[in-house]
């Protein structure tokens, strides 16, 4: 009966707060709840978290505030979903999650909640990194590199790894010297590119080339992930224009030669 009262009360509301979401998740996962929600595990909805996060990024990139509001809600749902599973296991609750992040923010902002003085953003970031390193007891640069999630997008991870190495001076002197490494790695790819059977070696050399490009981006303070995203978007946009123009002329890309398509592209 109590469950029915809660359901009716939730249905009658005009607006909902964070704990309304927590309450709804409890109903979905509880006795008499939704069969699908009750069957899920951390791993079964892992992909959902990734997908929802990228949809938030898309809304940000498109400056779509309405979509951003919706997608942030979807990400919040994922947080509550995972926390609810662990509450059922007796491990932690959503309150433990919010307590943890609030404590972290207080501890890592000593210039707000303590007596530390900072001059600028660089000081803030240095303090954050120093406090985080001490908290996690990561005394070596290698341990800090190991802490970077392997599941991150490869370019983002490469950029972070390069930044960690740079902290102890293990880095290129400047962007030009980093870019010279790109040429070196490109030459190595060129040397073996005709040996298509050696997939493992080709993959290794292509990886080295991409890592060198990432280091050049980092030295120039350019986000490699964002740069590649924009380059891909530009390619898609131009390809659409080429395809549209060919169709307007009564042509068919499927039957055209590369030289013919290149002429339209140019």
């Amino acid at each position: 009966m109590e469950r029915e009262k809660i359901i009716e009360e939730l249905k009658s509301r005009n607006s909902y707060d964070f704990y309304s979401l927590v309450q709804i998740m409890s109903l979905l996962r509880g006795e008499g709840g939704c069969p699908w929600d009750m069957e899920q595990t951390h791993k079964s909805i892992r992909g959902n978290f990734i997908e929802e996060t990228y949809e938030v990024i898309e809304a940000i990139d498109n400056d779509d505030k309405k979509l951003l509001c919706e997608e942030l809600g979807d990400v919040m749902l994922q947080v509550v979903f995972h926390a609810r599973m662990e509450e059922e296991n007796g491990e932690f609750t959503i309150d433990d999650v919010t307590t943890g992040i609030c404590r972290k923010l207080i501890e890592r902002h000593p210039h707000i909640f303590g007596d530390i003085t900072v001059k600028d953003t660089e000081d803030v970031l240095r303090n954050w990194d120093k406090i985080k390193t001490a908290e996690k007891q990561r005394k070596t640069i290698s341990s800090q590199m190991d802490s970077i999630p392997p599941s991150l997008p490869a370019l983002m991870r490469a950029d972070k790894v390069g930044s960690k190495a740079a902290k102890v001076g293990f880095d290129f002197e400047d962007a030009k010297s980093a870019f010279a490494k790109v040429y070196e790695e490109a030459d190595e790819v060129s040397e073996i590119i005709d040996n298509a059977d050696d997939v493992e070696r080709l993959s290794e050399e292509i990886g080295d080339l991409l890592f060198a490009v990432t280091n050049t981006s980092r030295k120039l303070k350019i986000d490699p992930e964002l740069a590649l995203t924009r380059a891909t978007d530009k390619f898609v946009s131009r390809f659409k224009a080429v395809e549209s123009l060919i169709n307007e002329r009564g042509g068919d890309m499927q039957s055209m030669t590369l030289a013919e398509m290149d002429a339209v592209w140019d």
Side-chain angles (χ1 to χ4, degrees):
M1 190 64 181
E2 182 65 26
R3 177 184 173 85
E4 292 177 4
K5 284 183 180 179
I6 294 172
I7 290 173
E8 288 304 314
E9 195 275 328
L10 283 166
K11 287 165 59 178
S12 68
R13 292 186 192 177
N14 293 320
S15 63
Y16 302 86
D17 59 18
F18 178 75
Y19 282 98
S20 299
L21 176 59
V22 174
Q23 195 172 36
I24 290 170
M25 180 50 64
S26 176
L27 289 169
L28 295 177
R29 293 272 300 180
E31 185 178 349
C34 170
W36 184 88
D37 288 281
M38 294 167 69
E39 289 174 1
Q40 301 314 305
T41 64
H42 291 304
K43 289 187 177 179
S44 72
I45 60 170
R46 174 183 177 277
N48 298 43
F49 214 141
I50 296 171
E51 182 179 343
E52 299 299 354
T53 302
Y54 275 107
E55 288 180 359
V56 168
I57 300 303
E58 181 184 7
I60 291 171
D61 289 344
N62 292 334
D63 198 24
D64 189 332
K65 299 300 193 298
K66 183 177 180 182
L67 183 62
L68 178 60
C69 180
E70 178 185 344
E71 299 302 342
L72 286 173
D74 289 343
V75 168
M76 193 182 295
L77 168 61
Q78 296 302 310
V79 173
V80 171
F81 208 147
H82 286 280
R84 177 62 195 177
M85 292 179 195
E86 289 311 313
E87 183 172 354
E88 293 164 4
N89 294 333
E91 295 293 335
F92 60 80
T93 70
I94 193 66
D95 286 340
D96 295 317
V97 175
T98 54
T99 296
I101 188 59
C102 286
R103 281 179 177 163
K104 182 184 293 185
L105 289 171
I106 291 170
E107 289 166 0
R108 294 190 186 177
H109 288 83
H111 52 291
I112 302 297
F113 300 98
D115 54 5
I116 298 295
T117 301
V118 296
K119 292 183 295 183
D120 51 26
T121 299
E122 291 299 319
D123 275 357
V124 172
L125 293 176
R126 271 193 293 271
N127 280 339
W128 179 286
D129 194 48
K130 191 182 298 181
I131 295 166
K132 181 178 179 180
T133 299
E135 282 176 2
K136 304 293 184 181
Q137 296 185 333
R138 295 169 184 153
K139 297 181 180 179
T140 66
I141 298 299
S142 296
S143 65
Q144 293 177 38
M145 287 181 180
D146 286 340
S147 71
I148 301 170
S151 55
L152 277 179
L155 286 177
M156 187 183 296
R157 183 178 177 225
D159 184 52
K160 287 181 176 293
V161 165
S163 295
K164 295 296 183 186
K167 287 171 65 175
V168 291
F170 195 80
D171 195 13
F172 295 97
E173 185 176 342
D174 51 31
K176 283 189 176 181
S177 57
F179 191 53
K181 187 68 174 177
V182 175
Y183 280 104
E184 180 185 324
E185 298 297 349
D187 286 341
E188 292 185 14
V189 173
S190 181
E191 287 174 10
I192 64 166
I193 201 165
D194 292 329
N195 190 8
D197 293 334
D198 195 350
V199 177
E200 187 172 338
R201 175 80 191 285
L202 279 167
S203 178
E204 179 183 346
E205 297 301 344
I206 290 289
D208 290 344
L209 175 58
L210 290 171
F211 193 79
V213 171
T214 303
N215 278 324
T216 303
S217 297
R218 178 174 54 78
K219 296 300 290 184
L220 292 169
K221 301 188 184 305
I222 291 171
D223 183 340
E225 196 80 29
L226 183 57
L228 182 57
T229 295
R230 287 174 174 168
T232 304
D233 288 344
K234 181 168 64 176
F235 176 83
V236 170
S237 176
R238 290 180 179 178
F239 186 89
K240 286 179 180 177
V242 168
E243 187 175 38
S244 177
L245 187 55
I246 289 172
N247 290 339
E248 286 175 14
R249 294 174 177 177
D252 177 18
M253 292 187 81
Q254 302 269 359
S255 61
M256 294 176 69
T257 66
L258 177 59
E260 290 171 333
M261 287 187 283
D262 272 343
V264 179
W265 178 281
D266 291 338

